[in-house]
Amino acid sequence: MWRTLGALLLVLVSAWTLRAEPLDPEPVIQTQENFDLGKFMGKWYQVAAVSTCPCYMKRKSRNPEMFPVVLQHVGSELNFTKTATIFRNGTCKQMTSRYSLTNTPGRFFHHVSRFGADVDSFVVGTNYEEYAAMLQLSRDQRSGEKSTNILLYSRTMNVTSALLDDFKQLVEEHGISGDTIIINQNNGTEEKNRRREQRIWG
């Protein structure tokens, strides 16, 4: 399903604008061919994740629950937002990130202020209606340490074993053990959120 992407090379840029582009004009990772931003927008579920960062893996393993993310883009703007809804410790939380577009379709930048990290994201495979795989190269601003995250999104909460097998193959092509993949579980998060909203709004 996903072609081999080759070696991971990251060109670090000292400053990025809203439509930032690396110093190297060539993309360092091959993105989805003929990427269509409009089709990529909408509601997804994060169903699996893996990272070379031990802290990321520890944090994700504490609450391996499938959760929805909503991508929204206004045509005149050079960025889009990703809003994730997570039910944790009896509380529904929404977290919004802003991704800047680049001149390479399917490639985005965003900064995670909480962890002081710059993240270079690539949509490496999607058919828009079922799945999307995203590879992220992250750099800690303070230490300069780099890590790789690979995420799997689905339009529904039902994921086939064939899709998970393809994702495992993609992960292993990047030198990460498929056995370390965190598979998020469907624990009724959306139903919990709906019930909570009903209690709040009556």
Side-chain angles (χ1 to χ4, degrees):
M1 183 180 296
W2 297 298
R3 56 192 175 280
T4 302
L5 302 176
L8 298 181
L9 299 175
L10 177 60
V11 178
L12 301 180
V13 184
S14 59
W16 292 330
T17 62
L18 279 181
R19 198 174 179 83
E21 191 71 14
L23 296 177
D24 185 348
E26 296 298 324
V28 295
I29 297 294
Q30 184 65 49
T31 59
Q32 170 66 44
E33 186 177 3
N34 299 319
F35 179 77
D36 188 319
L37 181 65
K39 291 182 179 180
F40 184 60
M41 295 295 101
K43 188 174 185 178
W44 294 92
Y45 295 90
Q46 189 185 108
V47 298
V50 70
S51 177
T52 59
C53 174
C55 292
Y56 180 99
M57 294 296 287
K58 183 178 181 180
R59 187 171 66 253
K60 289 294 184 181
S61 63
R62 291 173 184 162
N63 188 41
E65 186 172 56
M66 194 177 298
F67 59 90
V69 298
V70 177
L71 308 180
Q72 294 180 306
H73 173 247
V74 177
S76 61
E77 297 184 0
L78 300 180
N79 55 65
F80 68 88
T81 59
K82 183 186 82 171
T83 301
T85 302
I86 299 175
F87 191 85
R88 183 177 298 166
N89 298 325
T91 303
C92 176
K93 296 182 179 180
Q94 285 193 331
M95 297 177 290
T96 299
S97 303
R98 188 174 299 275
Y99 286 69
S100 298
L101 305 182
T102 73
N103 290 327
T104 301
R107 184 180 187 181
F108 322 111
F109 288 125
H110 77 286
H111 176 73
V112 184
S113 57
R114 178 184 175 188
F115 302 110
D118 292 324
V119 184
D120 196 0
S121 299
F122 304 81
V123 179
V124 295
T126 183
N127 65 359
Y128 305 104
E129 297 179 356
E130 298 174 280
Y131 72 89
M134 180 178 287
L135 186 148
Q136 297 181 325
L137 302 178
S138 177
R139 177 175 63 93
D140 187 291
Q141 286 187 327
R142 293 181 293 272
S143 67
E145 292 184 2
K146 293 177 283 186
S147 60
T148 300
N149 307 329
I150 307 179
L151 312 174
L152 177 63
Y153 293 96
S154 171
R155 288 295 190 187
T156 71
M157 302 183 82
N158 299 315
V159 183
T160 65
S161 57
L163 179 59
L164 292 176
D165 287 343
D166 287 335
F167 182 67
K168 181 178 180 180
Q169 180 180 347
L170 173 68
V171 167
E172 292 179 341
E173 286 175 355
H174 288 279
I176 304 174
S177 172
D179 294 333
T180 62
I181 295 173
I182 296 174
I183 306 296
N184 294 330
Q185 303 301 310
N186 179 3
N187 294 328
T189 299
E190 286 204 296
E191 182 61 28
K192 294 175 185 176
N193 292 342
R194 282 195 292 268
R195 291 177 180 176
R196 181 176 182 274
E197 290 175 354
Q198 289 175 353
R199 289 197 300 270
I200 294 174
W201 303 109

